[in-house]
Amino acid sequence: MPGGRLSPDDRRLIAAGLARGLGYAEIARRLSRPTSTVSREVTRNGGPGRYRAELAQAATAVRSRRRTPRPKPVEKPSGVDEYGRDPVLLTEVSDRFALLFAQFGMPRMAAAVLARLYAADSGSLTAAELAAQLRVSPATVSAAVGRLEERALIRRDRDPGTRRDRYVIDESAWYRATLAGAQVNERLAAQARHGADALGVATPAGLRLLGMGDYLERVGLDMVRSAERWRPRLDQ
């Protein structure tokens, strides 16, 4: 149906059409879809040179999920919490995570904010709560959450009946990060195959690049399959 959602078969046909060098209009005609549907689909999933049907289908499944906001208990700044835990323990746990996030390349303050959100039982905190816990200015928190939102690691909700923003852990963030890693693998694999062709597949360098491309492509597909196998757990 022209107005319906694209199916896995539709996406495979789009990928096949792009591989053959067909334009958006021709692909849309073969699918009996508007050209804008095809162009948006390809653009939001890497563009003509990077579009992969499996990755596009997986990413669409994540985008289509909608969660019902749950009541968010306010984090207590001091004193033992309802589970009998000392705030010092929560600080130590979040600090260890923040250090690891930073070592993996995340900006230091963004890492600290993300770690605090993971350590919060509600999975959410306001900007004021983050500023108080991290002992930094609201402007510093704003810059950090902006980086995390750009990476789709957190989302911004509005507390009911207020103008106060609340930052919430995105439960599917690591799933999407796995898909992003698979896309990087695919791009590296494609470049390795191109390099092998350019240098000659019978040469030592060409064989090395060919092996690299084959490995990265297979690992990338394994990443996608594994992520898809575990994705239903995100809905529990």
Side-chain angles (χ1 to χ4, degrees):
M1 294 176 60
R5 293 182 178 179
L6 292 171
S7 68
D9 286 340
D10 291 334
R11 292 190 165 90
R12 282 190 283 272
L13 288 173
I14 290 174
L18 292 172
R20 293 174 56 190
L22 300 181
Y24 292 158
E26 177 60 21
I27 295 174
R29 186 185 67 78
R30 298 185 179 196
L31 290 175
S32 298
R33 302 273 187 165
T35 302
S36 59
T37 297
V38 175
S39 64
R40 283 196 300 269
E41 166 70 13
V42 175
T43 299
R44 73 163 62 102
N45 289 291
R50 301 175 183 172
Y51 184 85
R52 297 293 181 273
E54 284 182 298
L55 294 178
Q57 182 65 28
T60 300
V62 173
R63 286 194 293 265
S64 67
R65 293 171 61 236
R66 294 293 183 267
R67 295 181 178 278
T68 301
R70 294 171 293 179
K72 317 285 193 312
V74 176
E75 297 294 315
K76 298 180 180 180
S78 62
V80 175
D81 67 13
E82 60 183 306
Y83 297 102
R85 299 172 305 191
D86 190 308
V88 173
L89 172 63
L90 301 181
T91 298
E92 290 175 349
V93 170
S94 63
D95 285 351
R96 292 192 190 101
F97 269 111
L99 179 60
L100 284 174
F101 290 150
Q103 288 175 345
F104 292 153
M106 186 177 293
R108 184 179 62 82
M109 188 50 60
V113 168
L114 187 62
R116 285 283 172 165
L117 289 172
Y118 268 106
D121 289 308
S122 63
S124 72
L125 293 167
T126 65
E129 289 167 340
L130 285 166
Q133 290 188 18
L134 297 173
R135 298 181 181 179
V136 297
S137 69
T140 300
V141 170
S142 178
V145 298
R147 289 177 178 271
L148 295 172
E149 285 183 296
E150 287 174 2
R151 299 188 185 187
L153 292 172
I154 65 174
R155 71 175 190 273
R156 185 191 305 242
D157 286 349
R158 181 64 58 87
D159 275 348
T162 74
R163 299 180 61 184
R164 181 175 56 191
D165 287 331
R166 178 173 289 276
Y167 301 100
V168 185
I169 284 291
D170 190 325
E171 303 291 352
S172 62
W174 295 112
Y175 170 76
R176 287 200 313 278
T178 301
L179 296 184
Q183 288 180 323
V184 171
N185 271 26
E186 175 56 33
R187 289 165 59 187
L188 288 171
Q191 186 59 42
R193 289 191 295 268
H194 176 75
D197 290 338
L199 298 177
V201 295
T203 67
L207 285 172
R208 184 182 307 116
L209 288 173
L210 198 62
M212 169 185 169
D214 185 55
Y215 173 80
L216 290 174
E217 181 178 34
R218 291 174 182 272
V219 169
L221 290 174
D222 286 343
M223 291 168 67
V224 173
R225 296 190 188 102
S226 180
E228 281 300 291
R229 186 168 63 251
W230 288 98
R231 186 173 65 83
R233 292 284 188 94
L234 298 175
D235 297 317
Q236 294 179 0

